[in-house]
Amino acid sequence: MIRFDILSLFPEYFCGPFDESILKRAREAGILDIRLVNIRDFADNRHQRVDDRPYGGGPGMVLMPDPVVKAIRKARRGSASRVIYLSPQGKTLDAEKCRRLAKCEHLILLCGHYEGIDERALALEVDEEISIGDYVLTNGCIAAIVLVDAVSRFVPGVIGHESSAKEDSFENGLLDCPHYTRPQVFENLRVPEVLLKGHHQEIQKWRHQMALEKTGQKKPDLLKPDLKQEENYSR
Ligand code: 4FV
């Protein structure tokens, strides 16, 4: 079981992605516990202001430290909690990170908004900064949805057949092999014969070879030196 507390200014943003399919079933099964927190509820001023103009001038607004720090401290559950700030300045999320985060008991996800969050709140309360990619989103909620989805796949019991996570792209440093289903012939394109003969070892070998070739073509940087050897040899 893993618990996520997602801190943002738009909790309603999360209606939908967590209420369908795999994540919905995992929540109903009690494997995932996702709580939505509105940072504005921690603004102790008449107009519930949470942002203000940047010191030193410049465009846009900055999230004030007080409501952010209060929201994080309220969500914290002792040492079991890890606070993640989603921002373009973070280290890029990858399968390795998702596997590691899935072992945590409690993740507090802080969503960025506007130009960013007052640096003092980050210094005081954030354990790790993560980016979902080198581009700028309109708000950090989207990044939190991506992280929850990708991490949840590594939580035991979330995806029906654990084996499929093991065969995922990136799992063994390779992209996934091609997949086929009925019909055997589609617009004169046939399913590779090896997949129809039911010879599992042959099928395994073919899938690994295809994964190697696809990785070499699409993400050669993924190929570790030792695999490179094997790849050259087999071609
Ligand atoms: C982002 C990313 C991201 C920056 C301005 C929200 C936006 C606004 N978060 N990975 N890329 N955040 O673009 O995580 O505050």
Side-chain angles (χ1 to χ4, degrees), residues 37-60:
V37 175
N38 190 335
I39 295 170
R40 202 177 290 282
D41 296 344
F42 295 83
D44 56 5
N45 55 68
R46 212 146 31 80
H47 304 295
Q48 281 208 307
R49 282 200 66 164
V50 291
D51 62 319
D52 207 332
R53 290 190 314 291
Y55 276 119

PDB file of all heavy atoms in Angstrom, residues 37-60:
ATOM      1  N   VAL A  37      -5.012  17.753  -1.555  1.00  0.00           N
ATOM      2  CA  VAL A  37      -4.939  18.852  -0.584  1.00  0.00           C
ATOM      3  C   VAL A  37      -4.894  20.177  -1.339  1.00  0.00           C
ATOM      4  O   VAL A  37      -4.133  20.303  -2.304  1.00  0.00           O
ATOM      5  CB  VAL A  37      -3.676  18.715   0.297  1.00  0.00           C
ATOM      6  CG1 VAL A  37      -3.526  19.916   1.223  1.00  0.00           C
ATOM      7  CG2 VAL A  37      -3.678  17.397   1.060  1.00  0.00           C
ATOM      8  N   ASN A  38      -5.724  21.141  -0.919  1.00  0.00           N
ATOM      9  CA  ASN A  38      -5.701  22.458  -1.549  1.00  0.00           C
ATOM     10  C   ASN A  38      -4.826  23.388  -0.707  1.00  0.00           C
ATOM     11  O   ASN A  38      -5.157  23.695   0.435  1.00  0.00           O
ATOM     12  CB  ASN A  38      -7.119  23.038  -1.644  1.00  0.00           C
ATOM     13  CG  ASN A  38      -7.131  24.288  -2.522  1.00  0.00           C
ATOM     14  OD1 ASN A  38      -6.107  24.961  -2.651  1.00  0.00           O
ATOM     15  ND2 ASN A  38      -8.268  24.568  -3.121  1.00  0.00           N
ATOM     16  N   ILE A  39      -3.721  23.806  -1.280  1.00  0.00           N
ATOM     17  CA  ILE A  39      -2.774  24.673  -0.557  1.00  0.00           C
ATOM     18  C   ILE A  39      -3.484  25.943  -0.080  1.00  0.00           C
ATOM     19  O   ILE A  39      -3.184  26.485   0.985  1.00  0.00           O
ATOM     20  CB  ILE A  39      -1.571  25.016  -1.472  1.00  0.00           C
ATOM     21  CG1 ILE A  39      -0.774  23.747  -1.805  1.00  0.00           C
ATOM     22  CG2 ILE A  39      -0.657  26.060  -0.841  1.00  0.00           C
ATOM     23  CD1 ILE A  39       0.272  23.947  -2.897  1.00  0.00           C
ATOM     24  N   ARG A  40      -4.496  26.394  -0.825  1.00  0.00           N
ATOM     25  CA  ARG A  40      -5.210  27.626  -0.471  1.00  0.00           C
ATOM     26  C   ARG A  40      -5.897  27.491   0.896  1.00  0.00           C
ATOM     27  O   ARG A  40      -6.077  28.459   1.617  1.00  0.00           O
ATOM     28  CB  ARG A  40      -6.235  27.963  -1.558  1.00  0.00           C
ATOM     29  CG  ARG A  40      -6.655  29.416  -1.613  1.00  0.00           C
ATOM     30  CD  ARG A  40      -7.605  29.673  -2.763  1.00  0.00           C
ATOM     31  NE  ARG A  40      -6.931  29.570  -4.053  1.00  0.00           N
ATOM     32  CZ  ARG A  40      -6.153  30.535  -4.553  1.00  0.00           C
ATOM     33  NH1 ARG A  40      -5.942  31.638  -3.853  1.00  0.00           N
ATOM     34  NH2 ARG A  40      -5.573  30.388  -5.736  1.00  0.00           N
ATOM     35  N   ASP A  41      -6.201  26.258   1.301  1.00  0.00           N
ATOM     36  CA  ASP A  41      -6.832  26.059   2.619  1.00  0.00           C
ATOM     37  C   ASP A  41      -5.886  26.424   3.758  1.00  0.00           C
ATOM     38  O   ASP A  41      -6.306  26.521   4.911  1.00  0.00           O
ATOM     39  CB  ASP A  41      -7.280  24.597   2.779  1.00  0.00           C
ATOM     40  CG  ASP A  41      -8.363  24.219   1.771  1.00  0.00           C
ATOM     41  OD1 ASP A  41      -8.946  25.167   1.182  1.00  0.00           O
ATOM     42  OD2 ASP A  41      -8.565  23.011   1.528  1.00  0.00           O
ATOM     43  N   PHE A  42      -4.599  26.632   3.430  1.00  0.00           N
ATOM     44  CA  PHE A  42      -3.618  26.951   4.474  1.00  0.00           C
ATOM     45  C   PHE A  42      -3.185  28.406   4.412  1.00  0.00           C
ATOM     46  O   PHE A  42      -2.231  28.827   5.061  1.00  0.00           O
ATOM     47  CB  PHE A  42      -2.413  26.021   4.347  1.00  0.00           C
ATOM     48  CG  PHE A  42      -2.758  24.583   4.599  1.00  0.00           C
ATOM     49  CD1 PHE A  42      -3.287  23.793   3.586  1.00  0.00           C
ATOM     50  CD2 PHE A  42      -2.613  24.035   5.865  1.00  0.00           C
ATOM     51  CE1 PHE A  42      -3.656  22.488   3.824  1.00  0.00           C
ATOM     52  CE2 PHE A  42      -2.971  22.708   6.109  1.00  0.00           C
ATOM     53  CZ  PHE A  42      -3.509  21.940   5.090  1.00  0.00           C
ATOM     54  N   ALA A  43      -3.919  29.183   3.616  1.00  0.00           N
ATOM     55  CA  ALA A  43      -3.609  30.626   3.511  1.00  0.00           C
ATOM     56  C   ALA A  43      -4.319  31.342   4.646  1.00  0.00           C
ATOM     57  O   ALA A  43      -5.539  31.330   4.714  1.00  0.00           O
ATOM     58  CB  ALA A  43      -4.089  31.159   2.168  1.00  0.00           C
ATOM     59  N   ASP A  44      -3.579  31.874   5.600  1.00  0.00           N
ATOM     60  CA  ASP A  44      -4.296  32.536   6.729  1.00  0.00           C
ATOM     61  C   ASP A  44      -4.311  34.048   6.515  1.00  0.00           C
ATOM     62  O   ASP A  44      -3.744  34.816   7.276  1.00  0.00           O
ATOM     63  CB  ASP A  44      -3.681  32.148   8.077  1.00  0.00           C
ATOM     64  CG  ASP A  44      -2.196  32.481   8.111  1.00  0.00           C
ATOM     65  OD1 ASP A  44      -1.739  33.085   7.105  1.00  0.00           O
ATOM     66  OD2 ASP A  44      -1.520  32.136   9.085  1.00  0.00           O
ATOM     67  N   ASN A  45      -4.930  34.467   5.396  1.00  0.00           N
ATOM     68  CA  ASN A  45      -5.190  35.906   5.201  1.00  0.00           C
ATOM     69  C   ASN A  45      -6.598  36.056   4.646  1.00  0.00           C
ATOM     70  O   ASN A  45      -7.150  35.091   4.084  1.00  0.00           O
ATOM     71  CB  ASN A  45      -4.152  36.503   4.225  1.00  0.00           C
ATOM     72  CG  ASN A  45      -4.132  35.745   2.921  1.00  0.00           C
ATOM     73  OD1 ASN A  45      -5.090  35.794   2.153  1.00  0.00           O
ATOM     74  ND2 ASN A  45      -3.083  34.954   2.694  1.00  0.00           N
ATOM     75  N   ARG A  46      -7.149  37.277   4.794  1.00  0.00           N
ATOM     76  CA  ARG A  46      -8.582  37.488   4.526  1.00  0.00           C
ATOM     77  C   ARG A  46      -8.976  36.931   3.150  1.00  0.00           C
ATOM     78  O   ARG A  46      -9.953  36.209   3.011  1.00  0.00           O
ATOM     79  CB  ARG A  46      -8.903  38.990   4.595  1.00  0.00           C
ATOM     80  CG  ARG A  46     -10.316  39.322   5.089  1.00  0.00           C
ATOM     81  CD  ARG A  46     -10.362  40.650   5.916  1.00  0.00           C
ATOM     82  NE  ARG A  46      -9.358  41.658   5.518  1.00  0.00           N
ATOM     83  CZ  ARG A  46      -9.526  42.466   4.446  1.00  0.00           C
ATOM     84  NH1 ARG A  46     -10.597  42.359   3.688  1.00  0.00           N
ATOM     85  NH2 ARG A  46      -8.599  43.376   4.147  1.00  0.00           N
ATOM     86  N   HIS A  47      -8.151  37.210   2.122  1.00  0.00           N
ATOM     87  CA  HIS A  47      -8.544  36.804   0.766  1.00  0.00           C
ATOM     88  C   HIS A  47      -7.956  35.453   0.376  1.00  0.00           C
ATOM     89  O   HIS A  47      -7.921  35.082  -0.799  1.00  0.00           O
ATOM     90  CB  HIS A  47      -8.122  37.890  -0.227  1.00  0.00           C
ATOM     91  CG  HIS A  47      -8.684  39.234   0.127  1.00  0.00           C
ATOM     92  ND1 HIS A  47     -10.043  39.484   0.100  1.00  0.00           N
ATOM     93  CD2 HIS A  47      -8.083  40.372   0.578  1.00  0.00           C
ATOM     94  CE1 HIS A  47     -10.246  40.734   0.491  1.00  0.00           C
ATOM     95  NE2 HIS A  47      -9.086  41.291   0.797  1.00  0.00           N
ATOM     96  N   GLN A  48      -7.450  34.710   1.391  1.00  0.00           N
ATOM     97  CA  GLN A  48      -6.848  33.393   1.063  1.00  0.00           C
ATOM     98  C   GLN A  48      -5.834  33.515  -0.068  1.00  0.00           C
ATOM     99  O   GLN A  48      -5.758  32.667  -0.943  1.00  0.00           O
ATOM    100  CB  GLN A  48      -7.948  32.402   0.688  1.00  0.00           C
ATOM    101  CG  GLN A  48      -8.671  31.821   1.913  1.00  0.00           C
ATOM    102  CD  GLN A  48      -9.197  30.426   1.585  1.00  0.00           C
ATOM    103  OE1 GLN A  48      -9.885  30.290   0.589  1.00  0.00           O
ATOM    104  NE2 GLN A  48      -8.816  29.430   2.354  1.00  0.00           N
ATOM    105  N   ARG A  49      -5.049  34.631  -0.007  1.00  0.00           N
ATOM    106  CA  ARG A  49      -4.011  34.780  -1.045  1.00  0.00           C
ATOM    107  C   ARG A  49      -2.913  33.741  -0.808  1.00  0.00           C
ATOM    108  O   ARG A  49      -2.541  33.473   0.336  1.00  0.00           O
ATOM    109  CB  ARG A  49      -3.378  36.166  -0.972  1.00  0.00           C
ATOM    110  CG  ARG A  49      -4.225  37.270  -1.578  1.00  0.00           C
ATOM    111  CD  ARG A  49      -3.371  38.444  -1.888  1.00  0.00           C
ATOM    112  NE  ARG A  49      -2.411  38.115  -2.958  1.00  0.00           N
ATOM    113  CZ  ARG A  49      -1.762  39.075  -3.607  1.00  0.00           C
ATOM    114  NH1 ARG A  49      -1.955  40.343  -3.274  1.00  0.00           N
ATOM    115  NH2 ARG A  49      -0.921  38.768  -4.577  1.00  0.00           N
ATOM    116  N   VAL A  50      -2.413  33.153  -1.890  1.00  0.00           N
ATOM    117  CA  VAL A  50      -1.302  32.190  -1.778  1.00  0.00           C
ATOM    118  C   VAL A  50      -0.126  32.604  -2.649  1.00  0.00           C
ATOM    119  O   VAL A  50       0.945  31.994  -2.588  1.00  0.00           O
ATOM    120  CB  VAL A  50      -1.764  30.788  -2.234  1.00  0.00           C
ATOM    121  CG1 VAL A  50      -2.745  30.200  -1.259  1.00  0.00           C
ATOM    122  CG2 VAL A  50      -2.301  30.842  -3.656  1.00  0.00           C
ATOM    123  N   ASP A  51      -0.309  33.677  -3.459  1.00  0.00           N
ATOM    124  CA  ASP A  51       0.796  34.083  -4.333  1.00  0.00           C
ATOM    125  C   ASP A  51       1.012  35.587  -4.232  1.00  0.00           C
ATOM    126  O   ASP A  51       0.124  36.324  -3.771  1.00  0.00           O
ATOM    127  CB  ASP A  51       0.483  33.695  -5.790  1.00  0.00           C
ATOM    128  CG  ASP A  51      -0.763  34.426  -6.286  1.00  0.00           C
ATOM    129  OD1 ASP A  51      -1.725  34.539  -5.507  1.00  0.00           O
ATOM    130  OD2 ASP A  51      -0.738  34.928  -7.406  1.00  0.00           O
ATOM    131  N   ASP A  52       2.187  36.022  -4.620  1.00  0.00           N
ATOM    132  CA  ASP A  52       2.498  37.449  -4.570  1.00  0.00           C
ATOM    133  C   ASP A  52       3.559  37.764  -5.618  1.00  0.00           C
ATOM    134  O   ASP A  52       4.140  36.855  -6.218  1.00  0.00           O
ATOM    135  CB  ASP A  52       3.017  37.820  -3.164  1.00  0.00           C
ATOM    136  CG  ASP A  52       2.734  39.289  -2.845  1.00  0.00           C
ATOM    137  OD1 ASP A  52       2.662  40.084  -3.821  1.00  0.00           O
ATOM    138  OD2 ASP A  52       2.615  39.633  -1.666  1.00  0.00           O
ATOM    139  N   ARG A  53       3.814  39.063  -5.806  1.00  0.00           N
ATOM    140  CA  ARG A  53       4.769  39.464  -6.852  1.00  0.00           C
ATOM    141  C   ARG A  53       6.191  39.083  -6.423  1.00  0.00           C
ATOM    142  O   ARG A  53       6.499  39.065  -5.236  1.00  0.00           O
ATOM    143  CB  ARG A  53       4.674  40.971  -7.088  1.00  0.00           C
ATOM    144  CG  ARG A  53       3.351  41.400  -7.786  1.00  0.00           C
ATOM    145  CD  ARG A  53       3.405  42.862  -8.216  1.00  0.00           C
ATOM    146  NE  ARG A  53       3.931  43.733  -7.168  1.00  0.00           N
ATOM    147  CZ  ARG A  53       3.252  43.990  -6.015  1.00  0.00           C
ATOM    148  NH1 ARG A  53       2.069  43.444  -5.822  1.00  0.00           N
ATOM    149  NH2 ARG A  53       3.781  44.797  -5.094  1.00  0.00           N
ATOM    150  N   PRO A  54       7.065  38.775  -7.373  1.00  0.00           N
ATOM    151  CA  PRO A  54       8.440  38.375  -7.042  1.00  0.00           C
ATOM    152  C   PRO A  54       9.275  39.550  -6.548  1.00  0.00           C
ATOM    153  O   PRO A  54       9.206  40.641  -7.130  1.00  0.00           O
ATOM    154  CB  PRO A  54       8.989  37.829  -8.364  1.00  0.00           C
ATOM    155  CG  PRO A  54       8.158  38.467  -9.432  1.00  0.00           C
ATOM    156  CD  PRO A  54       6.807  38.696  -8.813  1.00  0.00           C
ATOM    157  N   TYR A  55      10.001  39.333  -5.459  1.00  0.00           N
ATOM    158  CA  TYR A  55      11.002  40.336  -5.055  1.00  0.00           C
ATOM    159  C   TYR A  55      12.010  40.478  -6.187  1.00  0.00           C
ATOM    160  O   TYR A  55      12.328  39.505  -6.862  1.00  0.00           O
ATOM    161  CB  TYR A  55      11.737  39.888  -3.784  1.00  0.00           C
ATOM    162  CG  TYR A  55      11.030  40.219  -2.484  1.00  0.00           C
ATOM    163  CD1 TYR A  55      10.621  39.214  -1.609  1.00  0.00           C
ATOM    164  CD2 TYR A  55      10.743  41.541  -2.153  1.00  0.00           C
ATOM    165  CE1 TYR A  55       9.961  39.511  -0.422  1.00  0.00           C
ATOM    166  CE2 TYR A  55      10.076  41.860  -0.985  1.00  0.00           C
ATOM    167  CZ  TYR A  55       9.689  40.843  -0.119  1.00  0.00           C
ATOM    168  OH  TYR A  55       9.014  41.151   1.040  1.00  0.00           O
ATOM    169  N   GLY A  56      12.444  41.692  -6.411  1.00  0.00           N
ATOM    170  CA  GLY A  56      13.420  41.930  -7.492  1.00  0.00           C
ATOM    171  C   GLY A  56      12.727  42.139  -8.820  1.00  0.00           C
ATOM    172  O   GLY A  56      13.367  42.253  -9.861  1.00  0.00           O
ATOM    173  N   GLY A  57      11.376  42.096  -8.804  1.00  0.00           N
ATOM    174  CA  GLY A  57      10.627  42.374 -10.032  1.00  0.00           C
ATOM    175  C   GLY A  57      10.601  41.167 -10.962  1.00  0.00           C
ATOM    176  O   GLY A  57      11.041  40.077 -10.616  1.00  0.00           O
ATOM    177  N   GLY A  58      10.081  41.364 -12.154  1.00  0.00           N
ATOM    178  CA  GLY A  58       9.993  40.275 -13.128  1.00  0.00           C
ATOM    179  C   GLY A  58       8.562  39.841 -13.318  1.00  0.00           C
ATOM    180  O   GLY A  58       7.680  40.224 -12.519  1.00  0.00           O
ATOM    181  N   PRO A  59       8.327  39.008 -14.344  1.00  0.00           N
ATOM    182  CA  PRO A  59       6.947  38.644 -14.712  1.00  0.00           C
ATOM    183  C   PRO A  59       6.344  37.632 -13.733  1.00  0.00           C
ATOM    184  O   PRO A  59       7.056  36.978 -12.974  1.00  0.00           O
ATOM    185  CB  PRO A  59       7.121  38.009 -16.084  1.00  0.00           C
ATOM    186  CG  PRO A  59       8.471  37.364 -16.022  1.00  0.00           C
ATOM    187  CD  PRO A  59       9.305  38.304 -15.159  1.00  0.00           C
ATOM    188  N   GLY A  60       5.046  37.556 -13.738  1.00  0.00           N
ATOM    189  CA  GLY A  60       4.345  36.471 -13.052  1.00  0.00           C
ATOM    190  C   GLY A  60       4.317  36.603 -11.547  1.00  0.00           C
ATOM    191  O   GLY A  60       4.749  37.612 -10.979  1.00  0.00           O
TER     192      GLY A  60
END
